[in-house]
């Protein structure tokens, strides 16, 4: 870690990977800590390769909107999320295939954060449809999962369960078996009254 600390670009990469893993496994405190460190070192790091920059922009944006919903300094996090969203909106004008679903997902999370629930519902559906059309199975899974958390927050349990099941299926198709197991445990604990349905519908791998 001392060597990482001496190289700002390595530190940026390290913090992003830790933030990404924390986000995917829904560890809020760790995601916030590492994405904050990522932003702290972002300005002084070397320029990223395009493929890395795409990933960084997507997940730091998603984490920023997540943190904004729970944080007292929400405006700072909204600004960071909005920057990512506008970046993908601009990129989508050049390559709808690659960037459209990511832009829609960021729009959905921003709408959720602003309590604009009808807009969020529409954007989640568009993000799912676009990811499916453009063959991004892992991002289709992510869109289903984030939509499921959204509906769970609204208390719309049936819709939430439907989306969690779809997310689990897509993650399994993608080969993300650790994520499947994590989702299985979360859903089983969150839908205790329908645990028998969960255990038969989801695969613990």
């Amino acid at each position: 870690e001392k060597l990482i600390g001496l190289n700002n670009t390595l530190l940026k990469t390290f913090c992003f990977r830790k933030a990404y893993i924390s986000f995917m496994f829904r560890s809020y405190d760790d995601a916030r800590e590492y994405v904050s460190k990522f932003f702290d070192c972002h300005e002084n790091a070397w320029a990223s390769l395009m493929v890395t920059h795409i990933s960084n922009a997507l997940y730091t944006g998603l984490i920023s909107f997540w943190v904004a919903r729970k944080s007292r300094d929400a405006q700072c996090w909204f600004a960071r999320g909005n920057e990512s969203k506008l970046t993908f909106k601009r990129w989508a004008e050049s390559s709808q295939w690659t960037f459209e679903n990511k832009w829609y997902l960021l729009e959905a999370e921003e709408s959720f954060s602003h309590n604009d629930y009808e807009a969020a519902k529409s954007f989640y559906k568009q993000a799912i449809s676009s990811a499916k059309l453009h063959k991004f199975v892992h991002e289709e899974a992510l869109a289903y999962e984030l939509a499921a958390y959204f509906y769970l927050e609204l208390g719309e349990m049936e819709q939430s369960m439907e989306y969690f099941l779809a997310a689990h299926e897509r993650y399994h198709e993608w080969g993300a078996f650790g994520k499947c197991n994590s989702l299985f445990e979360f859903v089983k604990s969150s839908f205790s009254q329908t645990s028998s349905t969960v255990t038969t519908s989801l695969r613990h791998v």
Side-chain angles (χ1 to χ4, degrees), residues 43-80:
E43 292 299 323
N44 298 318
W46 296 339
S48 303
L49 294 173
M50 184 61 179
V51 66
T52 304
H53 186 47
I54 293 168
S55 184
N56 288 356
L58 176 61
Y59 288 98
T60 56
L62 293 174
I63 294 170
S64 292
F65 287 132
W66 188 25
V67 174
R69 291 197 292 274
K70 297 174 176 286
S71 176
R72 292 181 178 178
D73 54 337
Q75 290 308 311
C76 168
W77 292 101
F78 278 131
R80 288 168 170 172

Side-chain angles (χ1 to χ4, degrees), residues 63-164:
I63 294 170
S64 292
F65 287 132
W66 188 25
V67 174
R69 291 197 292 274
K70 297 174 176 286
S71 176
R72 292 181 178 178
D73 54 337
Q75 290 308 311
C76 168
W77 292 101
F78 278 131
R80 288 168 170 172
N82 188 58
E83 182 179 352
S84 291
K85 183 198 73 173
L86 293 178
T87 296
F88 278 102
K89 182 178 181 181
R90 188 168 61 250
W91 287 346
E93 293 172 357
S94 300
S95 178
Q96 184 181 33
W97 184 285
T98 305
F99 301 115
E100 182 186 68
N101 70 295
K102 302 168 182 66
W103 166 40
Y104 285 150
L105 189 56
L106 286 162
E107 288 278 13
E109 287 288 287
E110 182 181 45
S111 297
F112 180 15
S113 300
H114 287 301
N115 300 323
D116 189 350
Y117 299 140
E118 292 306 312
K121 289 178 182 181
S122 176
F123 280 124
Y124 282 124
K125 287 180 180 178
Q126 290 178 82
I128 291 164
S129 296
S130 180
K132 183 175 183 177
L133 177 65
H134 299 136
K135 313 300 182 185
F136 294 112
V137 65
H138 60 302
E139 290 173 0
E140 184 185 356
L142 179 61
Y144 270 123
E145 181 187 2
L146 295 183
Y149 290 123
F150 164 73
Y151 282 106
L152 184 63
E153 184 81 11
L154 296 188
E156 297 186 26
M157 308 303 282
E158 185 174 340
Q159 185 68 71
S160 178
M161 171 65 82
E162 179 183 329
Y163 276 16
F164 274 127

